[in-house]
Amino acid sequence: MKYFDLSQSVVYIYIAMFLLAMGITIFSIPNIIFVAKKKRLLDKPDHRKKHVNVTPNLGGIGIFSAFIFVASIFNVGFYFTGWNCILGASFLLFVTGLKDDLVAIDPYKKFLAQLVAAIIVVYLAGIRLENLQGFLGIYELPYLVSFLLSVVGITFVTNAFNLIDGVDGLAGSLSMLLFTFLGVLFAINKNIGSAMLCFTIAGAVAGFLRYNIAPAKIFMGDTGSLILGFLASVMAISFVSKMSLLPASSPLSGLFAGGKGGIVIALAAIIVPVYDTFRVFTTRILRGFSPFHADRTHVHHVLLDIGLNATQVAGTLVGVTAFLIATAVGMVALGWNVSIAILVLVVCATLLLYLAVKVRNQKLEKIRLAGLAKENAKKEKLQKVSLDDYLSSTLTKPEENYHDDQHVYSKVH
């Protein structure tokens, strides 16, 4: 049999791909850790990083290898048009991320690689956002607008996942939720190739998370975060496109009435890294800095400042994502206007972030006031000690010195 017959066993194929990818990653990561430590290919802690020990940062090699191996032997290209372009673009980002993990490269060169990868899949594979499904009253997009919007979108989401990878288990957990959720919807809609890709990458990430949950034994590095962000954007656009062309016979036709709502659910699935990156880039530019200027203004930094540990930060943001996905599904099922539904998601994200920032600022203010009180108490103690020493030395002054002082005083007067 040249290709897998998925008519009866499709679910088992999805499970097999997930488990095989997970198994390969679980097996390969310890070997990557061993080689990285032996060759001193380690990520060193600094003032912006939470970890205190040098840690290997080549986990993306295991994720990418498992993904490519499983997708190839299950012949995903037969079921997904444009797979060869996705493979080529992913390899470009893999090489770029690997070089950045090993020797560090200029952020603008990394951005250029993301842009080229986006152009490959948009122009050559035809994976682009063709319909906004009524957002701001816009439906079908002209080719040039569709092309530019898709390239910018893929580049931005790729960069967003790269930047959100700042806490143990965070980028991996968000990615696994995203790919598993989209994989289930693709499977229900019988989009076999898309479902195969989603479950494969979800399995690879699941295996990696075994070693990345705090305290992390290895980081995915740019090698992993660039690929996950790129695939997340590609699968999100693919999901929107397929929902726009949903036939009446589809099991999802009752949810996505008239092909609308896919863009709402896709946005909800990626909103945490996308919204955070948009906010951070905007504030940096307004303050006169480059959007790639490193600082501690990301949402995970806010949660860390509140006092949450890495696992709690990852769990909180995964929970927020799940809540927003459920909200999006509910709004789509109720037939809400696409523009209003997206506005609700943005408002929810803004309010949750505002609450987190407010709590963080209150805690930092308490710490500041406690520090001032401690400093004032220290100064008062030093002043009291100095006064006591002066009085003690004055009262215990020798009597002859006292008479000498009196004699000098009499002569002067």
Side-chain angles (χ1 to χ4, degrees):
M1 183 169 61
K2 187 176 180 180
Y3 302 114
F4 291 99
D5 180 10
L6 301 180
S7 58
Q8 300 296 328
S9 57
V10 61
V11 174
Y12 300 108
I13 296 299
Y14 296 151
I15 295 174
M17 296 181 77
F18 179 93
L19 293 177
L20 181 57
M22 182 173 67
I24 291 173
T25 311
I26 290 175
F27 175 78
S28 64
I29 290 296
N31 295 286
I32 294 172
I33 293 174
F34 174 77
V35 172
K37 288 184 175 180
K38 190 174 182 63
K39 298 297 182 180
R40 306 299 298 171
L41 305 175
L42 306 170
D43 184 55
K44 298 178 181 180
D46 58 33
H47 68 284
R48 294 181 58 251
K49 300 175 183 177
K50 185 174 177 60
H51 66 284
V52 294
N53 299 317
V54 290
T55 306
N57 63 342
L58 300 176
I61 296 176
I63 296 174
F64 182 72
S65 301
F67 169 65
I68 295 302
F69 178 80
V70 174
S72 297
I73 66 171
F74 279 83
N75 203 6
V76 169
F78 179 74
Y79 306 100
F80 192 99
T81 304
W83 160 245
N84 57 328
C85 295
I86 292 177
L87 178 60
S90 297
F91 183 73
L92 171 62
L93 293 177
F94 171 78
V95 173
T96 302
L98 183 60
K99 182 178 180 180
D100 192 43
D101 289 334
L102 294 176
V103 296
I105 61 175
D106 186 272
Y108 291 98
K109 291 181 180 179
K110 189 163 61 173
F111 177 78
L112 179 61
Q114 298 169 22
L115 193 64
V116 172
I119 292 174
I120 289 173
V121 294
V122 173
Y123 181 71
L124 298 180
I127 300 174
R128 55 191 175 85
L129 199 59
E130 302 176 71
N131 192 318
L132 295 187
Q133 302 178 349
F135 176 60
L136 300 179
I138 303 172
Y139 290 89
E140 293 289 336
L141 295 172
Y143 177 80
L144 182 59
V145 176
S146 171
F147 176 85
L148 293 175
L149 184 61
S150 301
V151 169
V152 171
I154 291 174
T155 304
F156 188 83
V157 174
T158 301
N159 203 58
F161 272 80
N162 181 231
L163 294 175
I164 203 68
D165 182 32
V167 172
D168 296 348
L170 177 54
S173 299
L174 290 174
S175 299
M176 187 173 174
L177 174 62
L178 164 69
F179 289 113
T180 302
F181 173 68
L182 291 182
V184 169
L185 292 182
F186 280 132
I188 293 174
N189 198 44
K190 302 187 186 307
N191 301 125
I192 295 171
S194 299
M196 293 171 77
L197 284 176
C198 284
F199 286 122
T200 301
I201 192 65
V205 173
F208 168 75
L209 282 174
R210 183 176 186 274
Y211 304 96
N212 186 239
I213 297 296
K217 297 181 178 65
I218 189 171
F219 304 140
M220 68 172 64
D222 282 12
T223 313
S225 60
L226 288 177
I227 292 171
L228 290 181
F230 171 73
L231 292 174
S233 60
V234 169
M235 299 317 298
I237 290 178
S238 179
F239 176 77
V240 174
S241 299
K242 286 178 169 55
M243 293 307 107
S244 297
L245 303 172
L246 204 62
S249 58
S250 170
L252 294 177
S253 59
L255 176 61
F256 300 95
K260 297 180 181 179
I263 192 170
V264 178
I265 292 179
L267 177 61
I270 61 175
I271 193 169
V272 167
V274 167
Y275 180 86
D276 183 59
T277 299
F278 179 79
R279 176 188 63 84
V280 169
F281 275 14
T282 301
T283 55
R284 287 173 181 172
I285 292 172
L286 291 176
R287 286 159 45 204
F289 293 107
S290 162
F292 301 107
H293 173 74
D295 55 29
R296 281 183 52 85
T297 57
H298 286 285
V299 64
H300 50 271
H301 293 136
V302 173
L303 295 178
L304 288 172
D305 290 341
I306 289 175
L308 301 184
N309 60 37
T311 302
Q312 291 169 334
V313 170
T316 298
L317 293 179
V318 168
V320 167
T321 303
F323 166 74
L324 293 176
I325 288 174
T327 302
V329 171
M331 291 187 294
V332 171
L334 293 173
W336 282 38
N337 177 276
V338 170
S339 299
I340 294 176
I342 291 178
L343 178 62
V344 169
L345 290 178
V346 173
V347 169
C348 286
T350 302
L351 289 176
L352 290 172
L353 178 63
Y354 171 78
L355 179 63
V357 171
K358 185 176 181 180
V359 173
R360 188 275 305 270
N361 290 343
Q362 289 176 345
K363 180 165 184 178
L364 293 180
E365 182 64 15
K366 288 181 179 179
I367 294 174
R368 187 184 71 85
L369 293 176
L372 287 176
K374 186 176 181 180
E375 186 67 24
N376 290 335
K378 185 177 180 181
K379 289 180 179 179
E380 290 177 0
K381 184 177 180 180
L382 289 174
Q383 291 173 351
K384 185 175 183 302
V385 169
S386 300
L387 180 60
D388 289 345
D389 290 344
Y390 172 76
L391 292 175
S392 175
S393 62
T394 302
L395 293 175
T396 58
K397 199 172 185 181
E399 185 176 348
E400 58 275 15
N401 290 347
Y402 172 77
H403 289 303
D404 290 342
D405 291 344
Q406 288 290 94
H407 176 68
V408 172
Y409 177 80
S410 299
K411 286 185 69 177
V412 171
H413 290 78

